[in-house]
Amino acid sequence: MEYRINENLCQAKLSIIRRITDLALADLGPKERAVLFSSGQPADEAIPTELVRKYTDRLLDAYGSEMLQYGGHKGYPPLFPEIRKFLNKDGVVARAEDDFVITYGSSEAIFAMGSAFIRPGDRVIVENPTYLNATNSFRYCGARLVPVQTDSDGVNLEALEEAMKKGASFFYTIPNFGNPSSITMSLRKRKAVYGLAVKYGIPILEDNPYGYLRFSGNEYIPPIKSFDEEGIVFYMGTFSKIVAPGMRCGFLCANREVIPKFVVFKGVSSSGNINWSQYVVTEFLREVDIDAHIARISGIYEKKARTMYDRMKECFDPAVEFTMPQGGMFIWAKLPEGAEATEFCLEAAQKLRIAVVPGNDFFIGSPRSCGYFRLNFSKPTQDDIAYGIEKLGSLTRKYCRG
Amino acid sequence: MEYRINENLCQAKLSIIRRITDLALADLGPKERAVLFSSGQPADEAIPTELVRKYTDRLLDAYGSEMLQYGGHKGYPPLFPEIRKFLNKDGVVARAEDDFVITYGSSEAIFAMGSAFIRPGDRVIVENPTYLNATNSFRYCGARLVPVQTDSDGVNLEALEEAMKKGASFFYTIPNFGNPSSITMSLRKRKAVYGLAVKYGIPILEDNPYGYLRFSGNEYIPPIKSFDEEGIVFYMGTFSKIVAPGMRCGFLCANREVIPKFVVFKGVSSSGNINWSQYVVTEFLREVDIDAHIARISGIYEKKARTMYDRMKECFDPAVEFTMPQGGMFIWAKLPEGAEATEFCLEAAQKLRIAVVPGNDFFIGSPRSCGYFRLNFSKPTQDDIAYGIEKLGSLTRKYCRG
């Protein structure tokens, strides 16, 4: 039969990250080696597998089948004070007026925001470039995306104000180690962005998956949420990067007036969250020295970022531009004018079996011509990084000859 | 600030099941006893907690952190052949042309179908009464619900044809032990319903959470999906009732042409499924003698249903109508003409601390006057059933005096 599927769903396509990964792995021979710099996964050695096992055992002992029954739509109540403590360890982020709803990672929180705030044709302001799963999600909800230029210290304020003047459902930002650019918004800009949001009555959706993965550079910069006297900031966090993505445990923190609507959404969309991961994350937050844990993970990532950066310096054509990141999971590189990242990445995946993601889809409007590509350094091993970057190096020379 | 939340979300309200449960538990004194006949949870003793622990341990040993990384958007590949075998153990349900996407329980599959097929204002045909989380979900997606009368052997065919003539996004049905009515659709009607769907080109969404929980009566009746030569039936299953709801592991089975759209939806809505539960369910389906397991669970439910039914016969006013179910999790009872189930259930929750759900919200249009109420027998203990039904009994006499 012919299926009359919604236009928005028909237009949505499989993410370029999946497509490029699939391409690098397609019909891989038994002796061929593939290296994936494509996804945003944590290092395997950063995942506390033994703790998850220990806590699962202990919690099943203590709670039995209760842990395997339905969770509430809002989430597991003992998890809330732990998240509050976690958020507030460096200052007041979640205020007394704020409350939480637990989501399947921040992905579901992004979709819940889109679903709650976007009516078909509504404007949604985003940094350019930005996280493509978020823009896909907003598009699916019917948004017209309004891209705003990003400078080296975060979103351009004049451009943001111009965009806000015309109204929008919300402004979506990743202030720490933006994906894919790794740009961090300065404190001055965070305050200014908050001021603009209040002035124009436009909610901010603050997405902070990478904020705790800083390994060098400036000290801690507080989230925009920490200035939020008006309840205009919707803050999303996730335990995907600091515990494990497979927990599918994230949260939306917002004014307690508005949280009940998201609880209704959770009931409608998936009948609530998974108890297992909420119980395990609660135990993790209670038992583990979080600062020491984060320091350990950041140490792993710093080493990998350093290896990748040094190797790129050594093997890449000098015309490729990139900088050493101060945190997060990505290096954002640029081929010289006229070289096409899409072609480069397709050739890398098909011929070299190295998956790197072309930058086009991270830009709103997906420019046909784009020299940017994104490399993930957190998931591959040190050895994969050394091998993969050398392979890519020879290919950069081909694309930089002009 | 004032939040400009979508109308559909604003109109959606917390389910009556939650509200009545909360009411029965509100400010419960330390010596007060509450009994919940309100939710559709499995018996604690039916949940294979020890197997979940054993499999978690074993799988973490075998797969390590891989089990805690992101799952794919479609689901864990080794789970698919196991689901296919499970579905096809009594005949061909999932054909060669069919494929799967894993969802957070059937709730998410229901929402995915609504999201994919409903455009605002579209008609969706449903049995009346039916599962209120499904109708809430369809309403949220913008559906105009078209209720069709249900007879004792399933949906009324003439009424269904009248409704289908006018077109609809799909027809939603629970053919086995419908929630709340416990009605099962006859084989003759299943074939006729399939014929009508093909004639009018209207997809069927077949929801089968309770089909394996038959403890008496007719032999196995094959799902509508088993007749599906046209790829017009979307079949949903869940491991919530036969393993545990807390696995949040269900699936949508449909023609392989259309499954990629749902994979895109999963990517957009929640970045895929949780690996842990998919790995554990895969192991469960491989290792456990499913027929013996289902026989054990059904045995537990038959005993509880019998206790509840006998106790109701003994304690309820004879004017209350109900029958002994042949499976599923609910008894659907009716107060005599003129008595209001809403009042009865509110008084039961507030004064007796017994939670039973009034039928109104299960009917489309939520009739103000309705004598039906739903009792769950799977979750409460034998002792809770005996105690709770006796308490309710005295209240039925008050409401049956007229």
Side-chain angles (χ1 to χ4, degrees), chain A residues 54-81:
Chain A
K54 186 171 111 182
Y55 295 156
T56 301
D57 258 5
R58 181 195 294 174
L59 292 160
L60 280 172
D61 257 348
Y63 298 101
S65 59
E66 186 187 325
M67 189 169 157
L68 302 175
Q69 287 282 12
Y70 288 102
H73 295 179
K74 185 172 189 291
Y76 177 53
L79 178 53
F80 301 129

XYZ file of all heavy atoms in Angstrom, chain A residues 54-81:
227
model
N 27.890 -3.127 39.823
C 27.798 -3.200 41.284
C 26.487 -2.573 41.775
O 25.784 -3.142 42.601
C 29.008 -2.451 41.882
C 29.145 -2.565 43.379
C 30.485 -1.996 43.851
C 30.268 -0.713 44.627
N 31.534 -0.099 45.075
N 26.165 -1.404 41.235
C 24.939 -0.723 41.669
C 23.699 -1.502 41.247
O 22.719 -1.568 41.994
C 24.882 0.700 41.105
C 25.961 1.622 41.630
C 26.360 2.733 40.901
C 26.572 1.394 42.859
C 27.345 3.588 41.371
C 27.570 2.239 43.338
C 27.953 3.340 42.589
O 28.923 4.182 43.050
N 23.732 -2.073 40.039
C 22.568 -2.846 39.582
C 22.303 -3.993 40.552
O 21.170 -4.209 40.989
C 22.810 -3.398 38.160
O 23.055 -2.305 37.283
C 21.606 -4.181 37.656
N 23.359 -4.715 40.904
C 23.246 -5.817 41.859
C 22.670 -5.349 43.185
O 21.702 -5.901 43.701
C 24.652 -6.380 42.139
C 24.880 -7.676 41.383
O 23.997 -8.065 40.594
O 25.949 -8.296 41.575
N 23.273 -4.309 43.700
C 22.903 -3.808 45.016
C 21.446 -3.315 45.023
O 20.676 -3.583 45.943
C 23.846 -2.663 45.387
C 23.581 -2.064 46.744
C 24.269 -0.730 46.895
N 25.724 -0.859 46.885
C 26.559 0.175 46.891
N 26.070 1.429 46.899
N 27.858 -0.005 46.882
N 21.085 -2.610 43.952
C 19.749 -2.010 43.909
C 18.670 -3.063 43.676
O 17.572 -2.973 44.231
C 19.713 -0.923 42.832
C 20.571 0.303 43.164
C 20.891 1.103 41.895
C 19.874 1.200 44.186
N 19.007 -4.091 42.873
C 18.027 -5.174 42.688
C 17.828 -5.925 44.005
O 16.722 -6.373 44.316
C 18.474 -6.122 41.573
C 18.197 -5.640 40.141
C 18.860 -6.568 39.126
C 16.699 -5.529 39.839
N 18.896 -6.038 44.786
C 18.788 -6.634 46.128
C 17.861 -5.815 46.998
O 16.993 -6.340 47.689
C 20.173 -6.624 46.808
C 20.816 -7.991 46.788
O 20.105 -8.959 46.470
O 22.027 -8.081 47.072
N 18.068 -4.512 46.972
C 17.329 -3.640 47.891
C 15.880 -3.440 47.446
O 14.972 -3.392 48.270
C 18.041 -2.295 48.013
N 15.665 -3.309 46.150
C 14.330 -2.924 45.673
C 13.598 -4.021 44.924
O 12.399 -3.899 44.678
C 14.427 -1.666 44.791
C 14.950 -0.476 45.546
C 16.280 -0.074 45.432
C 14.111 0.237 46.405
C 16.766 1.012 46.141
C 14.588 1.324 47.123
C 15.933 1.704 46.980
O 16.383 2.774 47.696
N 14.306 -5.061 44.507
C 13.649 -6.169 43.820
C 12.882 -5.724 42.590
O 13.331 -4.836 41.858
N 11.723 -6.329 42.405
C 10.956 -6.094 41.182
C 10.464 -4.647 41.059
O 10.157 -4.192 39.964
C 9.768 -7.040 41.123
O 8.957 -6.827 42.258
N 10.398 -3.941 42.172
C 9.990 -2.521 42.130
C 10.840 -1.740 41.115
O 10.359 -0.845 40.425
C 10.169 -1.920 43.528
C 9.667 -0.498 43.696
C 10.030 0.078 45.071
O 10.036 -0.686 46.074
O 10.330 1.290 45.143
N 12.114 -2.111 41.035
C 13.042 -1.441 40.128
C 12.732 -1.762 38.662
O 13.226 -1.101 37.757
C 14.463 -1.885 40.487
C 15.572 -1.146 39.799
S 17.151 -1.608 40.598
C 18.302 -1.231 39.277
N 11.933 -2.799 38.459
C 11.619 -3.226 37.081
C 10.161 -2.934 36.721
O 9.669 -3.368 35.681
C 11.938 -4.713 36.901
C 13.396 -5.105 37.199
C 13.572 -6.624 37.109
C 14.369 -4.410 36.249
N 9.460 -2.221 37.607
C 8.081 -1.800 37.289
C 8.126 -0.472 36.523
O 9.194 0.071 36.284
C 7.271 -1.651 38.589
C 6.887 -2.979 39.250
C 5.691 -3.687 38.586
O 5.248 -3.314 37.492
N 5.195 -4.727 39.255
N 6.947 0.028 36.154
C 6.873 1.333 35.508
C 7.469 2.410 36.403
O 7.263 2.379 37.618
C 5.408 1.730 35.253
C 4.731 0.968 34.159
C 3.840 -0.060 34.439
C 4.970 1.278 32.821
C 3.216 -0.776 33.424
C 4.346 0.570 31.801
C 3.469 -0.455 32.107
O 2.863 -1.147 31.100
N 8.208 3.354 35.820
C 8.616 4.547 36.549
C 7.510 5.587 36.395
O 6.635 5.446 35.555
N 7.535 6.600 37.226
C 6.546 7.669 37.062
C 6.843 8.473 35.801
O 7.925 8.362 35.221
N 5.883 9.298 35.373
C 6.086 10.102 34.165
C 7.117 11.204 34.391
O 7.811 11.616 33.470
C 4.762 10.701 33.686
C 3.781 9.666 33.230
N 2.537 9.960 32.783
C 3.895 8.309 33.144
C 1.918 8.840 32.436
N 2.715 7.835 32.666
N 7.196 11.698 35.616
C 8.117 12.794 35.910
C 9.539 12.273 36.097
O 10.498 12.925 35.692
C 7.651 13.492 37.189
C 8.418 14.729 37.587
C 7.707 15.399 38.769
C 8.272 16.764 39.089
N 9.624 16.749 39.633
N 9.638 11.104 36.691
C 10.954 10.537 36.970
C 10.999 9.982 38.393
O 10.014 10.065 39.134
N 12.142 9.431 38.740
C 12.344 8.762 40.040
C 12.609 9.834 41.100
O 13.660 10.502 41.058
C 13.535 7.826 39.881
C 13.973 7.070 41.110
C 13.076 6.316 41.860
C 15.311 7.076 41.502
C 13.493 5.604 42.969
C 15.751 6.354 42.611
C 14.822 5.627 43.343
O 15.242 4.926 44.447
N 11.709 10.014 42.070
C 11.846 11.158 42.990
C 13.209 11.314 43.677
O 13.713 12.436 43.749
C 10.701 10.945 43.986
C 9.670 10.180 43.199
C 10.467 9.273 42.281
N 13.858 10.235 44.154
C 15.156 10.450 44.821
C 16.252 10.986 43.901
O 17.290 11.461 44.379
C 15.529 9.043 45.326
C 14.234 8.318 45.446
C 13.395 8.836 44.311
N 16.028 10.909 42.590
C 17.041 11.434 41.663
C 17.061 12.965 41.650
O 18.108 13.580 41.421
C 16.779 10.870 40.256
C 17.678 11.308 39.100
C 19.159 11.114 39.406
C 17.315 10.533 37.817
N 15.906 13.589 41.928
C 15.825 15.051 41.795
C 16.773 15.817 42.718
O 17.505 16.691 42.265
C 14.378 15.529 41.958
C 13.440 14.931 40.940
C 12.263 14.313 41.320
C 13.748 14.971 39.590
C 11.415 13.739 40.379
C 12.903 14.402 38.640
C 11.735 13.787 39.035
N 16.780 15.497 44.031
C 17.722 16.244 44.890
C 19.184 15.998 44.512
O 20.026 16.896 44.683
C 17.416 15.726 46.306
C 16.613 14.490 46.118
C 15.910 14.610 44.811
